[in-house]
Amino acid sequence: MRKLINDPDAVVADALRGVEAAHRGMLRVDHLHRLILRADAPRPGKVGLVSGGGSGHEPLHGGYVGAGMLDAACCGEIFTSPTPDQILAATTAVDAGAGVLHIVKNYTGDVLNFEMAAEFAAASGVAVETVLVADDVAVMDSLFTAGRRGVGGTVLVEKIAGAAAEQGRDLAAVAEVARRAASACRSMGLALSSCTVPAVGRPTFDLADGEFELGIGIHGEPGRERRPLVGARDLAHLLLDPILKDLDVTDAPVIALCNGMGGTPLLELYLMWGELSAALAASGVTVARTLVGNYITSLEMAGCSLTLLRADEELLDLYDAPVDTPALRWGCR
Amino acid sequence: MRKLINDPDAVVADALRGVEAAHRGMLRVDHLHRLILRADAPRPGKVGLVSGGGSGHEPLHGGYVGAGMLDAACCGEIFTSPTPDQILAATTAVDAGAGVLHIVKNYTGDVLNFEMAAEFAAASGVAVETVLVADDVAVMDSLFTAGRRGVGGTVLVEKIAGAAAEQGRDLAAVAEVARRAASACRSMGLALSSCTVPAVGRPTFDLADGEFELGIGIHGEPGRERRPLVGARDLAHLLLDPILKDLDVTDAPVIALCNGMGGTPLLELYLMWGELSAALAASGVTVARTLVGNYITSLEMAGCSLTLLRADEELLDLYDAPVDTPALRWGCR
């Protein structure tokens, strides 16, 4: 196992010390509950935004904590849901009386644990709304999931909801726009290699050199099929076509995320975006905004995913609003 | 070979189409000369900043083109110096009469080709100054290099020089502060795996699972030695100690870059930073600024490097100044 770690069972705790040391002033870390929190949370009058999930997808979610995005991220063990008490601690920590929105990727464990935490929080007087992200068109009812999996769309939902909360909208309004963004997202991914969970010590699956898996999940769970590797131009269509079959973007601009799974060089991600943007243009789709890079990863997995969000003027404005987090920063502070 | 590409010999040209599509408004691409240019270059009265080198180190250099940093990046073939005519075209394109600074990593091919381009530019009336970055303490006179190699310090030099140019300083002043920054940088890296150059199709070197190479170069050229892999805490000292032996930082704050080689998950980079920052604190070093992430890579190589820059108030101010590029963005526009 080729990893920069101390103890395979202490990876998340050890990494949180690095996050704390790197982002003092912007973030604080609750080591007991394994939370990454906005340094100035709770912000009076602002709806609190909490997300989280298994670790190993960095920068998701901790890299998106900061002004204009999340107030707290709950860090589960690698590829393992955070516990209800973690989520409850985060919810309580960021509530300033305006309530809290949970942004949850659709995996059975995450859904159950966020639900339980929301019930506990409600019982102690904190209003909680939940938005589920289930944007992966690859498969229905996969390993770990009933229904579609939540993947790259989560980044865009967190950005848009974060901007709405920062503007001072109330809980119902932030939840509404977050749900609208989530329902407007579709994603499709592929892998050229597996990743290795440190505590397991061997690759999650085997994939021969010269093969790829289409529709891969972000934990290495099975996709649609394995095929002999083809060129980037053909791969672009294999990602794009199932999305366009599912999401009508003939009459609306899209926000596009060309995402790396963690082990693929940025040079290749830009190359993929060259092919994807050409294919989008040929399909008559207008790309209004683009992100290219590693935004939701699977440890060192090689591969990429495409996410499209069917936008309107309000969603574009919220996407464009200032953000100041470790992994997304733009606009004025 | 597990790569998202079309033709192994067209990777750079294909990737530049993706860069162009992703960053319209911020950047433009000269496909003939393989240049990534600031969309609004040349800026009247501003010293032009040109860097470049072999591709495969993204986001270096193209990801650092934009307001507050580079005006142009020359993209060589993968791990191959850009040609003098590329560099000359970039120099001419960004000169607005105030002259041009070349920021050059110390590799023999890069040095010669930038030198030749500077001579041609001077002959046509463009004033050119050059700063060499040679921050790698691992080895002297390695493959491709006479003297020390230029590695992670380049990112910091480009940031600092870019801010000085943006302030309207003249060529001599920008060159002076860039040289001061370059001479204040030291770096040390390690690799857990090789990378594969697409046109070659096989790993540059073999490294057994459970082994690492200390002092690796960013093209996979040999470092100091191979050893059995140890834990992150010990690795942190193996990176830090040779730097501290070479750079006195007992009485000055440092800017630190904990950099990934491309194939190492962000979770592990934060874990390494946790160990490095603890080791720095134990050595009495004050860390004033921190970057953790993939800033100068070697395709999909697994591993990391540490760069320290001995700072003063002026260098910190220039580092903190606003920047708006694909890979580094902060402050107000």
Side-chain angles (χ1 to χ4, degrees):
Chain A
M1 185 165 54
R2 303 171 190 266
K3 299 215 178 256
L4 301 171
I5 60 175
N6 295 304
D7 171 356
D9 294 318
V11 171
V12 176
D14 285 357
L16 281 174
R17 286 205 308 279
V19 170
E20 183 174 44
H23 302 291
R24 287 183 209 285
M26 180 185 275
L27 306 180
R28 64 190 161 87
V29 172
D30 172 345
H31 292 282
L32 178 64
H33 295 102
R34 300 206 179 150
L35 307 178
I36 299 174
L37 297 140
R38 190 170 157 177
D40 60 359
R43 306 263 299 171
K46 194 183 94 65
V47 169
L49 255 66
V50 173
S51 192
S55 294
H57 306 302
E58 289 68 23
L60 189 86
H61 298 270
Y64 303 126
V65 176
M69 220 160 156
L70 300 178
D71 293 276
C74 310
C75 307
E77 279 303 313
I78 291 177
F79 296 171
T80 302
S81 303
T83 59
D85 66 296
Q86 283 183 280
I87 303 165
L88 178 62
T91 305
T92 310
V94 307
D95 179 51
V100 175
L101 180 70
H102 286 176
I103 300 176
V104 185
K105 300 196 298 302
N106 189 37
Y107 298 96
T108 305
D110 291 38
V111 171
L112 288 174
N113 291 357
F114 269 94
E115 212 167 77
M116 199 176 298
E119 282 168 21
F120 287 142
S124 70
V126 181
V128 177
E129 290 276 346
T130 300
V131 54
L132 267 190
V133 186
D135 55 317
D136 189 348
V137 301
V139 290
M140 284 293 287
D141 301 332
S142 148
L143 200 60
F144 308 135
T145 332
R148 284 181 168 175
R149 303 177 295 214
V151 289
T154 316
V155 179
L156 304 178
V157 171
E158 292 179 359
K159 173 68 189 77
I160 286 166
E166 203 75 34
Q167 286 179 352
R169 299 191 193 187
D170 68 18
L171 180 58
V174 175
E176 185 276 326
V177 80
R179 287 189 191 114
R180 196 149 62 80
S183 71
C185 283
R186 297 292 185 283
S187 296
M188 182 80 180
L190 64 86
L192 304 187
S193 76
S194 178
C195 54
T196 296
V197 176
V200 177
R202 57 175 191 282
T204 305
F205 60 93
D206 289 314
L207 197 56
D209 203 5
E211 242 189 3
F212 78 104
E213 178 141 351
L214 183 64
I216 193 77
I218 56 171
H219 313 93
E221 64 271 39
R224 289 189 173 185
E225 56 177 326
R226 289 185 181 188
R227 297 186 177 200
L229 186 56
V230 292
R233 200 155 301 148
D234 293 324
L235 293 175
H237 283 284
L238 292 171
L239 293 180
L240 180 58
D241 295 350
I243 293 177
L244 293 185
K245 210 179 272 185
D246 205 87
L247 184 73
D248 181 10
V249 287
T250 47
D251 58 345
V254 299
I255 300 171
L257 166 60
C258 177
N259 175 66
M261 293 297 194
T264 285
L266 194 53
L267 189 68
E268 293 176 35
L269 297 180
Y270 274 112
L271 190 152
M272 277 302 298
W273 178 243
E275 301 304 336
L276 285 163
S277 60
L280 281 158
S283 301
V285 180
T286 304
V287 178
R289 304 291 185 274
T290 308
L291 280 177
V292 179
N294 291 294
Y295 291 98
I296 170 170
T297 63
S298 304
L299 297 169
E300 72 280 8
M301 187 187 283
C304 70
S305 62
L306 173 67
T307 299
L308 297 184
L309 184 149
R310 181 191 154 92
D312 56 31
E313 221 166 287
E314 186 191 20
L315 295 179
L316 286 176
D317 282 348
L318 291 167
Y319 178 81
D320 288 341
V323 62
D324 191 26
T325 70
L328 276 190
R329 299 181 94 171
W330 59 64
C332 284
R333 267 181 274 185
Chain B
M1 184 166 55
R2 304 171 190 264
K3 300 218 177 254
L4 301 170
I5 59 174
N6 295 304
D7 171 356
D9 293 318
V11 170
V12 176
D14 285 356
L16 281 174
R17 286 206 308 278
V19 170
E20 183 175 44
H23 302 292
R24 287 183 209 287
M26 180 185 277
L27 307 179
R28 63 189 161 87
V29 173
D30 172 345
H31 291 282
L32 177 65
H33 295 103
R34 299 206 180 152
L35 307 179
I36 298 174
L37 298 141
R38 190 169 157 178
D40 59 359
R43 306 261 301 170
K46 194 184 96 64
V47 169
L49 255 66
V50 173
S51 191
S55 295
H57 306 302
E58 290 69 23
L60 189 87
H61 298 269
Y64 303 127
V65 176
M69 219 161 157
L70 300 179
D71 293 277
C74 310
C75 308
E77 278 303 312
I78 290 177
F79 296 172
T80 301
S81 303
T83 59
D85 66 297
Q86 282 183 281
I87 303 165
L88 179 62
T91 305
T92 310
V94 307
D95 179 51
V100 174
L101 179 69
H102 286 175
I103 300 176
V104 184
K105 300 195 299 301
N106 189 36
Y107 298 95
T108 305
D110 292 38
V111 172
L112 289 175
N113 291 356
F114 269 94
E115 212 167 78
M116 200 177 297
E119 282 168 23
F120 288 142
S124 69
V126 180
V128 177
E129 289 278 346
T130 300
V131 54
L132 266 190
V133 186
D135 55 319
D136 189 348
V137 302
V139 290
M140 286 292 289
D141 302 333
S142 148
L143 199 61
F144 308 134
T145 331
R148 285 181 168 177
R149 304 176 293 214
V151 290
T154 316
V155 178
L156 304 178
V157 172
E158 292 179 359
K159 174 67 189 78
I160 286 165
E166 202 74 35
Q167 287 179 352
R169 299 191 192 185
D170 69 17
L171 180 58
V174 175
E176 185 277 326
V177 80
R179 287 188 191 114
R180 197 149 63 79
S183 72
C185 284
R186 298 293 186 280
S187 298
M188 183 78 179
L190 63 86
L192 304 187
S193 76
S194 177
C195 53
T196 296
V197 176
V200 177
R202 55 175 193 281
T204 305
F205 59 92
D206 289 314
L207 197 56
D209 202 6
E211 241 190 4
F212 78 105
E213 178 139 351
L214 183 64
I216 193 76
I218 55 170
H219 314 92
E221 63 271 39
R224 288 187 173 187
E225 55 177 328
R226 289 185 181 189
R227 297 185 177 201
L229 186 57
V230 292
R233 200 156 300 147
D234 293 324
L235 293 175
H237 283 283
L238 292 172
L239 293 181
L240 180 57
D241 294 351
I243 293 177
L244 293 184
K245 209 177 272 183
D246 206 87
L247 183 74
D248 180 11
V249 287
T250 47
D251 59 344
V254 299
I255 300 172
L257 166 60
C258 176
N259 175 66
M261 293 297 194
T264 284
L266 193 54
L267 189 69
E268 293 176 35
L269 296 179
Y270 274 111
L271 191 152
M272 277 302 299
W273 178 244
E275 301 304 335
L276 286 163
S277 61
L280 281 157
S283 300
V285 180
T286 304
V287 179
R289 304 289 185 275
T290 308
L291 279 178
V292 178
N294 291 293
Y295 290 98
I296 170 171
T297 63
S298 304
L299 295 170
E300 71 281 8
M301 187 187 281
C304 69
S305 63
L306 174 67
T307 299
L308 296 184
L309 184 147
R310 181 189 153 93
D312 56 30
E313 221 166 288
E314 186 192 19
L315 294 178
L316 286 177
D317 282 347
L318 291 168
Y319 177 82
D320 288 342
V323 62
D324 190 27
T325 70
L328 276 190
R329 300 179 93 171
W330 60 64
C332 285
R333 266 180 273 185

